[in-house]
């Protein structure tokens, strides 16, 4: 089986964040949206101080919100987070992705109920909840009304600060 070739690359620049969107060869569609988004979590550089090039929570949420709005049905959003270097950002990414899955929940309160229930963490004063709620509001306002997502969290057990892979596939 031959893999599709990369037909186009689009760069999203958001402050110091570089998000790469790779669009695989177009499937038969009238949509101009992307089918794969790869989001690097470390912007690189040659400095010994990784904090100078580390991504920040708000710019990461802006980038993955933009990416979720660009993805067409069948598209995959993939984000690697590093709780050991930015726990707040990792929590925000996980809650945002779960919020995408909750867009079609039948639970009382719907996805907003989910967002309102994001806990206050010890040192964030509700920032994660506020930022994730704002990002989800934008996805709802600007995205397809019937969008549906399947979201998965892949993390090693017994290693709470190890990297975590979050994937979200738009199925409708």
């Amino acid at each position: 089986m031959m893999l599709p070739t990369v037909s186009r690359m689009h760069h999203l620049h958001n402050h110091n964040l570089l998000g790469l969107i790779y669009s695989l060869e177009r499937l038969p569609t009238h949509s101009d949206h992307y089918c794969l988004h790869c989001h690097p979590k470390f912007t690189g550089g040659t400095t010994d101080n990784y904090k100078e090039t580390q991504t920040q929570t708000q710019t990461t949420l802006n980038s993955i919100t933009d990416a979720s709005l660009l993805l067409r049905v069948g598209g995959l959003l993939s984000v690697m987070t590093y709780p050991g270097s930015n726990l707040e950002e990792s929590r925000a990414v996980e809650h945002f992705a779960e919020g995408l899955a909750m867009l079609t929940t039948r639970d009382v309160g719907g996805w907003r109920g989910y967002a309102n229930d994001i806990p206050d963490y010890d040192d964030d004063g509700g920032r994660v909840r506020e930022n994730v709620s704002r990002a989800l509001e934008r996805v709802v306002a600007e995205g397809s009304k019937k969008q549906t997502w399947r979201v998965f969290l892949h993390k090693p057990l017994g290693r709470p600060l190890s990297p975590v892979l979050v994937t979200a596939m738009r199925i409708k």
Side-chain angles (χ1 to χ4, degrees), residues 6-167:
V6 174
S7 61
R8 143 165 66 161
M9 184 168 38
H10 174 73
H11 297 276
L12 287 178
H13 295 280
N14 194 349
H15 302 288
N16 70 335
L17 180 66
L18 174 63
L20 296 177
I21 296 178
Y22 296 99
S23 178
L24 299 178
E25 262 183 85
R26 290 186 183 271
L27 301 173
T29 181
H30 297 290
S31 173
D32 195 30
H33 294 132
Y34 298 92
C35 60
L36 174 68
H37 177 263
C38 299
H39 187 272
K41 292 296 301 131
F42 182 75
T43 59
T46 58
T47 181
D48 291 331
N49 184 359
Y50 77 93
K51 295 270 187 199
E52 291 177 13
T53 56
Q54 178 182 10
T55 59
Q56 301 300 311
T57 303
Q58 192 56 56
T59 55
T60 296
L61 276 176
N62 291 343
S63 179
I64 62 177
T65 300
D66 290 343
S68 68
L69 291 167
L70 288 171
L71 286 175
R72 66 181 183 218
V73 173
L76 176 70
L77 175 66
S78 174
V79 184
M80 182 69 75
T81 68
Y82 298 88
S85 60
N86 191 337
L87 186 56
E88 180 180 293
E89 180 182 57
S90 187
R91 288 173 174 158
V93 168
E94 289 181 31
H95 284 299
F96 173 79
E98 188 170 359
L100 291 175
M102 297 300 286
L103 293 178
T104 53
T105 186
R106 294 183 181 143
D107 290 351
V108 175
W111 70 267
R112 283 186 179 91
Y114 164 77
N116 289 336
D117 288 342
I118 294 172
D120 283 347
Y121 293 99
D122 295 335
D123 59 347
D124 87 335
R127 270 191 318 271
V128 168
R129 180 179 49 256
E130 291 170 22
N131 291 335
V132 168
S133 295
R134 203 169 22 254
L136 291 171
E137 287 284 354
R138 187 167 159 236
V139 169
V140 169
E142 298 176 24
S144 169
K145 300 302 175 213
K146 295 184 179 186
Q147 63 185 306
T148 303
W149 295 82
R150 293 296 178 260
V151 177
F152 300 90
L153 180 67
H154 312 273
K155 65 173 151 184
L157 299 175
R159 300 183 55 89
L161 299 180
S162 291
V164 175
L165 175 63
V166 180
T167 58

